[in-house]
Amino acid sequence: MSSKPNLENVKRILVVGAGAMGSQIGMVGALAGYQVTIQDISEDMLTKAQAALAERMDRNVSKGRMERTDTDAALGRMNYLTSIQDAASTADFVIEAAVEKLETKRGIFQELDRHAPPHAVLATNSSTLGSSQVADITGRADRVCNMHFFNPALVMKCVEVVRHEQTSQETVDTAMGLAERMGKSPILINREIPGFVANRLLGALRTEALKLYDDGIASFQDIDTAAKTALGHPMGPYELMDLVGIDVVHLIRQAHFEETGDPADLPHPALTELYEAGHYGRKTGQGWYTYSE
Ligand SMILES: NC(=O)c1ccc[n+]([C@@H]2O[C@H](COP(=O)([O-])OP(=O)(O)OC[C@H]3O[C@@H](n4cnc5c(N)ncnc54)[C@H](O)[C@@H]3O)[C@@H](O)[C@H]2O)c1
C-alpha cells in the first residue's frame, strides 16, 4: 500500500481518549460503518465510555431515531484497548482526543508515529493546539492535521479540518472525505489560527454581547432574546456561557490574552466577577442566570 493517505484505504479508525469527545467520535465512526478502536490509558474510562454509548444507542432506538440492527452492528464494530501500540498497529486513520495537555499529546503522537502504518493520518481533535505543535515530533508531518469535532460529537455536524504548513493535500482530502462519510459537514481552515473559525465567531459575538451589557445598552436577558428571536440562534450568548461554564469561558479568554498580550483580550470584568465568586453557571446553580434543581 502506498504511504500516501487515501480515503479508500481507510477501514480502521483509532480514537485516542475515551472521554466526552473521544467516545462519541468513535461511535460516529462505527455508525458510519468503520471498524473503530478506542484507546485510553484508563481502563475505567473505557468501561464508562462503552456503557454510556450502549445506553445512548438504546435511547436513540427507543425514541425511534435509529434502528436496533444498526446500533447493534455499530457497537459490534467497536473495540476498547489500553495499549496504544496494539491499537495503533492496525489503524488507517487516527483521531487523538486525549486530555488537552501539550506534553501528553506530544507523547501520544510519538507513539502513534512509531506504531501506526506509514499511510495512516494522525489527526488531533484539540480545540486550542494547532497540529504543527505535535507534527514535529513525528516523522510524517505531512500526514498530520487538526480534525476538530464539536460537543456532542454524535449530534453536531461541523468538523473543522485545519492544515498546518506541511500538511499534504492527500491528508486534507482524506480527512475532509472521512468527515463527510461520518455524516458531518467539514470545513477547511487553510492555516492555523487560535480558535479556528467557529470559536472565533462565537468569541466575537460574546465580546460584543458583553460590551453592550457593560455599556448599559440592554439587559443581558434582552441581548439573549435578540440573539434568539432576530438571529435564530438556539440560545443567547449569556445562556451559552452558563451552559459551557463561566470558569471555562474565563480560562479560554485568559489563555487568549496570554497568547496575544493585548489588554483588549483580557476576560471581561463582569465575567471575572462571576468567576471569582464561584458562579460558574448551570453546574453551580448560579451564573448570569439562577438555576433551581
Ligand atoms: N469537551 C469539549 O467540548 C471539546 C470540544 C471539542 C474538542 N475538544 C478537545 O477534545 C479533547 C478531549 O476533550 P474531552 O472533553 O473529551 O476530555 P475528557 O477529559 O473528557 O477526556 C480525556 C481523556 O483522555 C484520556 N487520556 C489522558 N492521557 C491519555 C493518554 N496518554 N493516552 C490516552 N488517553 C489519555 C483520559 O483518561 C480521558 O479519558 C481535547 O483535546 C479537547 O480540546 C473538547
Side-chain angles (χ1 to χ4, degrees):
M1 196 186 283
S2 145
S3 68
K4 285 194 174 174
N6 179 332
L7 183 59
E8 300 315 318
N9 292 338
V10 178
K11 308 277 183 250
R12 293 171 175 273
I13 300 174
L14 164 62
V15 179
V16 177
M21 294 303 293
S23 56
Q24 292 208 8
I25 293 169
M27 190 75 239
V28 170
L31 284 166
Y34 290 97
Q35 290 292 330
V36 173
T37 298
I38 300 187
Q39 183 273 339
D40 199 293
I41 46 170
S42 159
E43 186 88 52
D44 188 42
M45 287 302 288
L46 289 172
T47 309
K48 283 188 180 141
Q50 192 167 6
L53 291 175
E55 200 183 304
R56 184 142 186 150
M57 290 303 107
D58 276 348
R59 225 173 29 242
N60 283 342
V61 171
S62 65
K63 290 195 171 162
R65 292 187 197 132
M66 287 180 182
E67 295 291 332
R68 171 71 64 195
T69 45
D70 295 339
T71 58
D72 279 356
L75 290 166
R77 283 189 286 271
M78 297 181 76
N79 196 11
Y80 299 83
L81 289 178
T82 50
S83 159
I84 194 165
Q85 290 86 340
D86 293 349
S89 65
T90 56
D92 302 310
F93 198 105
V94 182
I95 303 169
E96 173 277 318
V99 65
E100 188 74 346
K101 287 188 188 149
L102 180 58
E103 279 321 302
T104 305
K105 289 191 189 288
R106 285 179 69 78
I108 291 170
F109 272 75
Q110 195 167 30
E111 286 295 300
L112 290 173
D113 187 42
R114 229 174 252 160
H115 300 287
H119 67 272
V121 169
L122 311 181
T124 175
N125 181 50
S126 175
S127 301
T128 60
L129 304 166
S131 66
S132 61
Q133 295 186 62
V134 290
D136 64 318
I137 207 161
T138 73
R140 60 175 95 190
D142 60 313
R143 277 153 281 165
V144 175
C145 65
N146 286 80
M147 197 168 170
H148 183 225
F149 290 77
F150 289 79
N151 192 5
L154 272 162
V155 178
M156 301 300 278
K157 288 274 182 208
C158 188
V159 172
E160 293 176 324
V161 173
V162 190
R163 66 192 310 167
H164 67 92
E165 276 183 13
Q166 293 175 60
T167 307
S168 71
Q169 191 57 42
E170 288 88 354
T171 298
V172 167
D173 293 344
T174 305
M176 295 287 287
L178 179 62
E180 267 170 30
R181 287 197 180 172
M182 289 168 91
K184 301 300 181 191
S185 308
I187 68 158
L188 176 61
I189 299 178
N190 292 315
R191 61 187 161 87
E192 294 181 337
I193 180 169
F196 308 142
V197 164
N199 283 333
R200 287 183 81 89
L201 291 176
L202 180 63
L205 179 74
R206 188 178 284 157
T207 300
E208 186 59 26
L210 284 163
K211 186 167 174 352
L212 289 169
Y213 167 68
D214 197 44
D215 291 348
I217 306 294
S219 68
F220 67 82
Q221 294 92 334
D222 280 356
I223 296 169
D224 274 354
T225 300
K228 290 184 282 189
T229 57
L231 307 180
H233 292 189
M235 194 179 283
Y238 289 91
E239 288 170 317
L240 189 58
M241 279 187 260
D242 276 0
L243 179 69
V244 171
I246 298 293
D247 51 337
V248 175
V249 176
H250 190 270
L251 291 175
I252 291 173
R253 192 79 190 165
Q254 187 66 37
H256 185 52
F257 164 68
E258 277 159 24
E259 205 168 314
T260 64
D262 181 351
D265 291 333
L266 269 168
H268 194 276
L271 196 64
T272 303
E273 205 173 299
L274 287 175
Y275 175 71
E276 287 178 351
H279 296 325
Y280 292 170
R282 286 196 189 203
K283 60 184 145 187
T284 61
Q286 175 73 51
W288 291 102
Y289 295 89
T290 303
Y291 302 86
S292 59
E293 274 307 305

